[in-house]
């Protein structure tokens, strides 16, 4: 039998612009019924910052975060210079033509704490979202999760093409990164 080799197209890289929120603000304004509205197409992000590259901070500065993670975009890490911002929000859009030919969408990133990945309002990946011992979650989007590893680790996710076809028109990737 003959099997044609799968074609791999990169649809997202360090050159894609990301909108991001590192201001200790909940895009849902604390309204649990609107907690994931920011992950959907059409949500207004014109007041969010925008940049390309690798995002991060360690002790409020750019530098080697560990595990070969060296950001070039500094995230605001502290509230009033002392308390760590619990959650960062990232959002970008990509176009995938001929969705019916897509076998899978794979993603890889580095993070030292919890992460949730949404596509058009659908949660497609989650990792290290342990909130045990982190205090009471009082706002749906603003809480710390993870194990505070110190060094970022590689995190990968994959969405099957059939599942992807059910949730895609334009791809809107949104990352919820509790610090």
């Amino acid at each position: 039998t003959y099997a044609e080799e799968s074609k791999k197209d990169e649809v997202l890289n360090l050159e894609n612009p990301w909108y991001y929120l590192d201001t200790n603000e909940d895009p849902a304004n604390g309204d649990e019924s609107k907690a994931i509205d920011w992950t959907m197409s059409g949500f207004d992000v014109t007041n969010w910052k925008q940049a390309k590259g690798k995002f991060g901070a360690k002790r409020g500065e750019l530098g080697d975060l560990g595990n070969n993670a060296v950001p070039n975009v500094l995230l605001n890490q502290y509230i009033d210079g002392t308390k760590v911002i619990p959650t960062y929000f990232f959002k970008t859009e990509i176009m995938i033509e001929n969705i019916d030919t897509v076998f899978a969408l794979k993603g890889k990133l580095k993070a030292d704490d919890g992460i949730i990945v949404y596509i058009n309002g659908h949660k497609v990946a989650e990792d290290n979202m342990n909130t045990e011992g982190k205090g009471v979650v009082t706002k749906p989007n603003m809480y710390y999760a993870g194990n505070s590893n110190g060094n970022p680790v590689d995190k990968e996710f994959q969405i099957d093409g059939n599942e992807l076809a059910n949730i895609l028109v334009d791809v809107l990737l949104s990352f919820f990164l509790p610090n």
Side-chain angles (χ1 to χ4, degrees):
T1 59
Y2 172 77
E4 186 176 331
E5 186 175 327
S6 297
K7 181 180 175 191
K8 295 179 181 178
D9 290 325
E10 185 177 83
V11 295
L12 189 61
N13 59 42
L14 295 176
E15 293 302 312
N16 291 82
W18 286 85
Y19 289 95
Y20 66 101
L21 196 58
D22 67 347
T23 56
N24 195 39
E25 296 174 63
D26 180 355
N29 294 317
D31 185 343
E32 193 163 348
S33 70
K34 297 180 179 182
I36 64 167
D37 286 4
W38 69 276
T39 69
M40 297 179 209
S41 184
F43 186 86
D44 184 13
V45 293
T46 55
N47 292 326
W48 291 27
K49 296 176 186 176
Q50 186 180 29
K52 298 176 184 178
K54 299 176 183 180
F55 298 80
K58 191 159 196 167
R59 296 180 190 90
E61 298 178 358
L62 282 177
D64 189 349
L65 306 179
N67 194 23
N68 298 316
V70 181
N72 64 308
V73 179
L74 179 63
L75 292 173
N76 180 27
Q77 190 173 7
Y78 298 106
I79 306 163
D80 300 325
T82 57
K83 187 176 178 188
V84 174
I85 291 176
T87 306
Y88 299 104
F89 303 89
F90 297 88
K91 186 171 180 161
T92 195
E93 291 188 44
I94 58 175
M95 286 296 289
I96 297 178
E97 296 180 20
N98 301 322
I99 188 63
D100 55 328
T101 65
V102 175
F103 175 72
L105 179 66
K106 294 181 180 183
K108 182 177 180 180
L109 56 100
K110 287 184 185 280
D112 65 347
D113 295 307
I115 182 167
I116 300 175
V117 179
Y118 294 92
I119 297 179
N120 293 350
H122 298 268
K123 185 190 303 184
V124 296
E126 178 178 321
D127 185 63
N128 201 19
M129 290 302 296
N130 175 20
T131 59
E132 188 175 324
K134 308 289 193 288
V136 177
V137 175
T138 58
K139 294 182 181 176
N141 288 326
M142 302 300 294
Y143 58 91
Y144 177 84
N147 298 326
S148 191
N149 289 334
N151 290 332
V153 295
D154 292 330
K155 301 190 184 239
E156 297 183 16
F157 61 93
Q158 178 172 319
I159 300 104
D160 176 86
N162 291 329
E163 179 184 355
L164 194 59
N166 290 331
I167 60 175
L168 263 183
V169 178
D170 295 334
V171 177
L172 175 66
L173 289 175
S174 306
F175 293 101
F176 170 78
L177 290 171
N179 189 16

